[in-house]
Amino acid sequence: AIVSLGGKFLKVNQALCEMMGYAEKELLASNVESISHVEDLKVDLEHVQRALAGEISHFDLEKRYRHCDGRTVWGWLSVSLVRDAVGNPLYFVSQVQDLTDRKRLEEQLRHSQKMEAIGRLAGGIAHDFNNIISAISTYGGLLEERLPSDDFNRGDNFGCGYFEVNQKRGVR
């Protein structure tokens, strides 16, 4: 896109129109600010001011845009300031590469890594719990052996039969 010093679109290509969901006439009637995500606009404008002040001649940044349907579009913005022969600023040449799919995939990867970590934690807890149950079952069995054979607390009444069966199955 070719953008005026004030941020108005002067020329746009079909790729930008498709990326943002606007017709060419709609973009040409608007400005960069109107399609920029509000939280990213300040950083963008700071770079523009630095370019106009002569501190930098170009800049690149990752930023969010607002698609015409309201969803967020992630883009890699590359901007160069074009000056005349004397050095006066004329306009900006901007290129935006769509990063939306990459950002979505990165988020899916982060989510799957979190789920994997939760699974490992749950597996570790289950293993530790099985160890505790095993100890309880073993000590219960030892206590049961000390009871007389006709004692009410022997067998299923004492609960050791439950632990023996479940010790073999583990915690589920």
Side-chain angles (χ1 to χ4, degrees):
I2 306 295
V3 180
S4 75
L5 301 178
K8 184 175 181 342
F9 288 110
L10 302 175
K11 287 186 181 181
V12 295
N13 63 15
Q14 188 60 35
L16 182 64
C17 294
E18 290 172 9
M19 186 172 140
M20 301 302 168
Y22 292 97
E24 181 179 355
K25 288 181 181 180
E26 291 175 306
L27 280 179
L28 291 174
S30 66
N31 58 37
V32 173
E33 186 175 339
S34 68
I35 65 167
S36 292
H37 191 281
V38 67
E39 293 176 15
D40 295 341
L41 189 57
K42 181 180 177 185
V43 173
D44 192 4
L45 293 176
E46 287 172 357
H47 281 83
V48 166
Q49 290 305 315
R50 289 183 61 211
L52 290 172
E55 296 173 20
I56 56 174
S57 62
H58 67 280
F59 62 91
D60 300 303
L61 63 100
E62 186 177 277
K63 67 177 276 189
R64 294 166 289 181
Y65 294 92
R66 289 188 311 244
H67 190 274
C68 74
D69 65 9
R71 65 184 161 95
T72 298
V73 175
W74 281 92
W76 181 258
L77 174 64
S78 296
V79 178
S80 294
L81 178 60
V82 177
R83 296 180 180 272
D84 63 16
V86 184
N88 295 319
L90 295 174
Y91 53 86
F92 292 99
V93 175
S94 301
Q95 178 184 5
V96 182
Q97 180 182 358
D98 192 347
L99 301 178
T100 306
D101 287 340
R102 189 189 90 193
K103 287 292 195 175
R104 181 180 45 78
L105 291 172
E106 287 173 355
E107 182 57 35
Q108 287 175 352
L109 176 62
R110 274 191 295 278
H111 179 71
S112 68
Q113 288 171 335
K114 286 179 190 175
M115 296 307 290
E116 180 183 354
I118 290 169
R120 274 187 265 141
L121 177 64
I125 291 170
H127 179 75
D128 290 347
F129 191 66
N130 279 334
N131 289 342
I132 293 169
I133 293 294
S134 178
I136 291 171
S137 177
T138 300
Y139 287 121
L142 292 173
L143 288 173
E144 186 177 30
E145 287 176 8
R146 292 184 175 184
L147 294 174
S149 59
D150 61 343
D151 193 302
F152 175 77
N153 292 317
R154 278 189 78 82
D156 289 336
N157 294 328
F158 186 68
C160 288
Y162 172 79
F163 286 122
E164 288 172 11
V165 170
N166 285 304
Q167 182 181 9
K168 292 175 185 168
R169 280 191 267 163
V171 175
R172 302 218 190 276

